[in-house]
Amino acid sequence: MLKTMLISISNKCAYTCPFCPFKNTGEAKISQEHIRNLLEKIGSIEDIILICSEWYSKGYIDSLLSVCYDKARKISLFLPISETKNLLKQRKILQSGFVSNIVFIMYHETTVPENDIYTLLSSMDVDIGIWFISELNNSSYRTFQEVFPVVRRLGLKIWIGETPYSYSNSMDPVVFALRVGGENIGLPYSSRYGYRISRAYIDDYPVSLMIRPPVLSNILYLSPNGELAKHPKSQFKVKIEEADIEILRKIIFMPENLPLSEFIFIPEVYVILREELKGVEIDPRTIQLLEAIQIFNSLKVACKSIGIPYSSCVEKISLLEKKLGKKLVTTIRGGKRKGRSYLSELGLQILETYRKIIFKINEDLAK
């Protein structure tokens, strides 16, 4: 399954997002038939994302959404926060049920259009979130602290990260979260939209930290002029009508390093926990699995989120439990909560110990 497909119909917007990778990519020259044929070749897709603001002005958007809906588990819209009023004019399209998520991009805006978002929330069954473009400076910290209470009051999801798919070099969402009061920052437990996700809490409210992976895989970008690539800044591009199955596989599954304008050296900390009495070692991958189990309350979902086969996860947990002589995970077999998995007291202790160590390291790096 293709994880993420980006479709940019038009690059027309106010260009308020810094490092926007979708500028100067033109107007849509893609036929519905081309897109339909492409999706047939690809098969199932986890996320299709419609990027930028001019999608709603196109007369064919309802049919495009219908085509995408047949192939994708979820369809998301990524729009500047300034587009809420224009989006309200298109509620009939959104009420069709094709769109699962709306992500509003915020940069320098210090106000959230509460009434417009409340109307959107009350008039359709769709998840709405704010992607806060964060920079490591005092102005960005102040802006977030002004916006955060409103977003929290509305009950919206919050993502913190760089401009989506810009691959800017100066953004570390973990450091940003620490500097605005973030706590309980965990390990990356899943991936979404082509980013690794870590969770933090700000005033006990969960936020997602969008961490750019060093190498991209399982993602596809379709530009307005009909070019397919791994990402907007990729050098290897192919016209949609020329893309056969082999070319698509090459673009989607071959890892590609992200384009950087300079050398960036990022510290990576590899911490192994060792139980003092028995000398049992617990590696970061196992800790990541425990983190995902706590978040999803499902061993199967946790395994899928971190990309480990279910049988391997069960074996890893069982082997560690045998070495320690105690249970780490409890799975309920019957009743209403059948299939739910929970960390034992020991599992929670291991996770909390690791979190404290990583938090202290991140805190020192953020100084």
Side-chain angles (χ1 to χ4, degrees), residues 167-187:
Y167 314 122
S168 58
N169 298 337
S170 58
M171 177 58 229
D172 186 335
V174 173
V175 172
F176 184 91
L178 284 166
R179 291 181 178 173
V180 294
E183 296 179 341
N184 296 326
I185 297 175
L187 296 171

Side-chain angles (χ1 to χ4, degrees), residues 1 41 68 102 107 125 136 154-155 167 189 228 239 257 272 278 322 333 340:
M1 173 185 282
K41 292 175 186 175
C68 293
I102 301 171
Y107 179 46
D125 184 18
L136 301 181
L154 288 166
Y167 314 122
Y189 63 88
L228 290 165
K239 287 290 185 181
N257 292 322
I272 294 176
K278 298 188 176 184
K322 186 175 181 180
R333 304 296 180 187
R340 293 280 186 118

